[in-house]
């Protein structure tokens, strides 16, 4: 059931809390983070928590997620992280450099040296902002607080997250895996700010895994800024696997320079309400962006993927493929916006969103958009929403395959187009396994993550 609350009243709770903890937020934080805090708060006051009247959030009701009286995590908990006990998404064949973010705060792996090449930094954003501000200060923020109230709220509250720096021409052979855990004795609101810089000619693969470890209610508001310089390559994987009482607000902003290549994969296997904002700015010629996403939802779960790609320079290419499988009373939304600016000639931009509804109660909203201000381009978009092809199902059953098995085969084939784009073989095999379990109605969870199938 939808909960209708006056936008101003609901936002007031978060503005009042900011006023109460303002000194705590500024105290001990870096000048770089603090410099944005006041304006971000003012921008949030002006915009408030986004409602359906906000065109970019018209398919997602965030009011119920912001209603609880959350415990806010503004200070790092003093604890020793035992990395030998931290699971790696049950991908034993995947050899990764491991880092942990716990309730929005980064914990370094002190016990394991790892095999990061010389010069590569994987650390706390709060620490780097204080100790090595030169790695941050020359990069203007691409997460604009006056364009999105969730970004404004994040920037006002943010104190930590993970920081990754890959210097010029360095190739990181082993993937970097960031385990993002939520666990508290109370219902909890967390804020996380991440920063990735991949310098000229550098190459790296990053895997971010989102998990919940108990059944309390969580609201996580995360912002990640990524800068890919000339001729760099980044593969960025996100595995979302949280319980039904978790709300995951995840915003990623990526700026690419000349001849760079960035590929993102978002696999949503479980979660109560998930909103993924993904914005690319192709700011150098011959840049290439590839965006893949898949979601498998049931019960009353909701997933909303909002993508925007700005072709700001000529001779760039972008590809988007997003697929959803929605069961029971779950719902989904996809808004994909491609903007080719006036001088971005010779642009190739392609977008596709396909959705499979397994019940009459499942609901999907899709809105592909093209804004083309150049005249020498190749651009296309398309979207489909439908149920399993009964003729294809009959074809399989006529060959001795029972109905349940035939449906599973067709759903797996539907999802595999996205899964096969995962370049990490061990991760691809594991995702294939998790997807198969999810489609069979089993809870898709890693290791000992908490889940709740009934809420």
């Amino acid at each position: 059931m939808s909960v209708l609350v006056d936008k101003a009243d609901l936002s007031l709770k978060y503005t009042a809390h900011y006023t109460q903890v303002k000194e705590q937020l500024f105290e001990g934080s870096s000048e770089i983070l603090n410099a944005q805090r006041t304006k971000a708060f003012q921008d949030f006051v002006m915009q408030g928590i986004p409602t359906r009247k906000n065109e970019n959030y018209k398919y997602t009701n965030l009011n119920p997620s912001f209603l609880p009286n959350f415990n806010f995590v503004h200070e790092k908990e003093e604890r020793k992280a035992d990395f030998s006990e931290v699971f790696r998404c049950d991908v034993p064949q995947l050899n990764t450099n491991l880092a942990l973010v716990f309730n929005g705060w980064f914990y370094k792996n002190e016990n394991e040296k790892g095999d990061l090449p010389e010069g590569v930094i994987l650390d706390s954003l709060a620490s780097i902002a204080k100790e090595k501000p030169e790695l941050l200060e020359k990069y203007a923020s691409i997460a604009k607080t006056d364009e999105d109230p969730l970004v404004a709220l994040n920037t006002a509250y943010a104190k930590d997250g993970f920081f990754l720096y890959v210097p010029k021409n360095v190739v990181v052979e082993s993937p970097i895996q960031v385990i993002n855990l939520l666990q508290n004795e109370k219902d909890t609101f967390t804020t996380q700010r991440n920063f990735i810089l991949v310098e000229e000619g550098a190459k790296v693969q990053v895997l971010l895994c989102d998990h919940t470890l108990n059944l309390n209610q969580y609201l996580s508001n995360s912002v990640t800024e990524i800068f890919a310089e000339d001729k760099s390559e980044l593969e960025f994987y996100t595995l979302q696997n949280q319980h039904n009482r978790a709300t995951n607000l995840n915003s990623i902003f990526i700026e690419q320079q000349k001849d760079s290549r960035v590929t993102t994969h978002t696999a949503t296997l479980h979660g109560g309400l998930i909103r993924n904002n993904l914005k690319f700015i192709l700011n150098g010629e011959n840049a290439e962006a590839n965006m893949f996403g898949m979601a498998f939802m049931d019960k009353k779960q909701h997933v909303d993927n909002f993508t925007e790609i700005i072709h700001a320079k000529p001779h760039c290419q972008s590809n988007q493929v997003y697929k959803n499988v929605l069961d029971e009373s779950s719902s989904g939304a996809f808004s994909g916006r491609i903007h080719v600016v006036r001088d971005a000639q010779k642009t190739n931009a392609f977008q596709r969103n396909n959705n499979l509804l397994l019940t009459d109660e499942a609901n999907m909203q899709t809105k592909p958009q093209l804004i083309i201000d150049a005249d020498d381009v190749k651009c296309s978009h398309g979207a489909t929403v439908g149920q399993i092809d009964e003729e294809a199902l009959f074809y399989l059953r006529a060959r001795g395959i029972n109905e349940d098995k035939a449906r599973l085969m067709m759903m797996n084939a539907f999802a595999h187009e996205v899964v096969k784009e995962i370049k990490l073989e061990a991760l691809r095999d594991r995702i294939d396994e998790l997807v198969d379990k999810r489609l069979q109605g089993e809870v898709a969870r890693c290791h000992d993550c908490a889940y709740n199938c009934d809420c």
Side-chain angles (χ1 to χ4, degrees):
M1 182 178 66
S2 297
V3 180
L4 299 178
V5 178
D6 183 79
K7 167 184 158 182
D9 290 343
L10 187 56
S11 300
L12 183 61
K13 178 168 65 173
Y14 292 87
T15 57
H17 180 76
Y18 176 88
T19 303
Q20 293 171 2
V21 300
K22 180 178 178 180
E23 291 185 7
Q24 182 183 0
L25 292 172
F26 275 84
E27 183 180 357
S29 193
S30 65
E31 292 183 6
I32 291 177
L33 294 180
N34 285 340
Q36 305 178 66
R37 218 178 284 282
T38 299
K39 180 182 182 301
F41 174 69
Q42 293 170 348
D43 287 338
F44 177 72
V45 171
M46 291 293 294
Q47 300 171 86
I49 294 167
T51 68
R52 292 181 186 271
K53 293 181 180 180
N54 184 321
E55 183 66 23
N56 292 344
Y57 287 88
K58 66 183 296 184
Y59 301 128
T60 298
N61 180 15
L62 292 177
N63 278 350
S65 296
F66 280 87
L67 272 175
N69 293 318
F70 287 115
N71 172 61
F72 290 78
V73 183
H74 296 310
E75 297 296 334
K76 185 175 183 178
E77 180 182 344
E78 293 301 326
R79 60 184 292 150
K80 287 188 177 181
D82 187 349
F83 281 79
S84 64
E85 293 298 321
V86 173
F87 54 87
R88 299 171 184 249
C89 293
D90 284 352
V91 193
Q93 290 78 28
L94 186 62
N95 180 31
T96 62
N97 295 283
L98 191 64
L100 172 65
V101 177
F102 186 82
N103 290 341
W105 292 84
F106 182 89
Y107 289 81
K108 185 178 291 189
N109 189 351
E110 304 286 359
N111 300 323
E112 183 179 314
K113 186 177 180 181
D115 56 356
L116 287 175
E118 184 177 355
V120 175
I121 299 173
L122 178 60
D123 208 334
S124 157
L125 177 65
S127 297
I128 294 298
K130 289 181 183 179
E131 299 166 7
K132 298 181 179 180
E134 66 276 7
L135 293 178
L136 290 166
E137 56 192 4
K138 71 176 183 177
Y139 293 92
S141 176
I142 50 177
K144 304 299 183 183
T145 59
D146 58 353
E147 295 180 358
D148 191 316
L150 296 184
V151 173
L153 187 61
N154 173 281
T155 308
Y157 281 151
K159 294 192 74 173
D160 198 19
F162 72 86
F163 173 92
L164 173 62
Y165 167 69
V166 185
K168 183 177 179 179
N169 294 328
V170 170
V171 177
V172 183
E173 298 291 348
S174 298
I176 290 172
Q177 185 176 11
V178 179
I179 307 294
N180 187 30
L181 300 181
L182 297 176
Q183 183 180 34
N184 209 328
E185 296 178 356
K186 302 177 181 179
D187 295 343
T188 299
F189 182 104
T190 68
T191 300
Q192 183 176 334
R193 190 64 171 240
N194 309 312
F195 185 95
I196 297 176
L197 172 57
V198 187
E199 287 193 336
E200 180 181 350
K203 297 180 182 180
V204 65
Q205 296 168 312
V206 178
L207 169 61
L208 177 63
C209 299
D210 295 330
H211 304 292
T212 42
L213 294 184
N214 63 4
L215 295 177
N216 286 329
Q217 191 158 347
Y218 293 98
L219 195 162
S220 172
N221 186 17
S222 173
V223 170
T224 303
E225 293 180 292
I226 299 174
F227 295 85
E229 296 193 337
D230 294 356
K231 300 180 181 179
S232 62
E233 293 186 21
L234 167 67
E235 293 174 26
F236 190 83
Y237 300 90
T238 303
L239 176 60
Q240 297 172 327
N241 204 5
Q242 300 177 333
H243 63 60
N244 287 0
R245 302 189 70 204
T247 295
N248 188 349
L249 309 176
N250 180 41
S251 300
I252 299 175
F253 299 84
I254 302 171
E255 182 175 301
Q256 292 183 236
Q257 300 301 326
K258 185 173 64 174
D259 298 314
S260 62
R261 176 182 294 179
V262 176
T263 302
T264 63
H265 295 256
T266 305
T268 304
L269 298 179
H270 213 276
L273 186 152
I274 296 174
R275 164 71 180 213
N276 294 312
N277 295 319
L278 181 57
K279 181 175 182 178
F280 274 81
I281 304 173
L282 302 185
N283 212 20
E285 292 192 22
N286 298 308
E288 179 182 334
N290 300 293
M291 308 156 70
F292 301 100
M294 57 183 171
F296 305 88
M297 311 302 279
D298 59 14
K299 302 290 187 292
K300 296 182 180 180
Q301 297 173 347
H302 178 77
V303 60
D304 183 351
N305 286 295
F306 183 94
T307 70
E308 181 176 10
I309 183 160
I310 299 175
H311 284 262
K313 299 292 181 181
H315 301 281
C316 292
Q317 179 170 317
S318 65
N319 303 283
Q320 298 180 60
V321 179
Y322 277 77
K323 291 195 169 188
N324 296 310
V325 178
L326 305 178
D327 199 359
E328 299 179 327
S329 298
S330 62
S331 57
F334 174 81
S335 296
R337 183 181 300 158
I338 298 173
H339 184 189
V340 183
V341 305
R342 181 175 180 180
D343 296 324
Q345 305 293 351
K346 303 296 182 181
T347 287
N348 292 324
F350 307 101
Q351 178 192 101
R352 182 157 50 88
N353 172 230
N354 302 118
N355 305 281
L356 188 59
L357 307 184
L358 302 184
T359 67
D360 293 336
E361 291 74 29
N363 180 267
M364 181 69 198
Q365 303 283 346
T366 182
K367 185 182 178 182
Q369 304 169 71
L370 288 177
I371 304 172
I372 302 175
D373 297 323
D375 53 18
D376 187 5
V377 302
K378 291 182 180 179
C379 298
S380 68
H381 64 70
T384 61
V385 180
Q387 297 183 327
I388 286 180
D389 187 330
E390 293 298 328
E391 290 187 8
L393 185 63
F394 177 80
Y395 177 87
L396 292 174
R397 295 188 66 190
R399 279 147 183 79
I401 302 173
N402 68 49
E403 183 174 353
D404 290 342
K405 180 66 174 177
R407 287 181 180 274
L408 183 62
M409 289 173 62
M410 293 179 66
M411 288 187 290
N412 267 313
F414 176 82
H416 189 70
E417 181 185 4
V418 176
V419 177
K420 69 182 178 63
E421 296 295 339
I422 297 174
K423 304 304 180 186
L424 299 174
E425 184 177 356
L427 178 63
R428 183 172 63 249
D429 292 343
R430 177 57 175 158
I431 293 294
D432 254 334
E433 180 185 348
L434 289 174
V435 167
D436 185 64
K437 288 183 177 181
R438 191 74 168 100
L439 294 177
Q440 292 185 64
E442 299 179 28
V443 175
R445 63 191 182 99
C446 296
H447 200 64
D448 59 355
C449 299
Y451 65 94
N452 188 332
C453 295
D454 300 321
C455 59

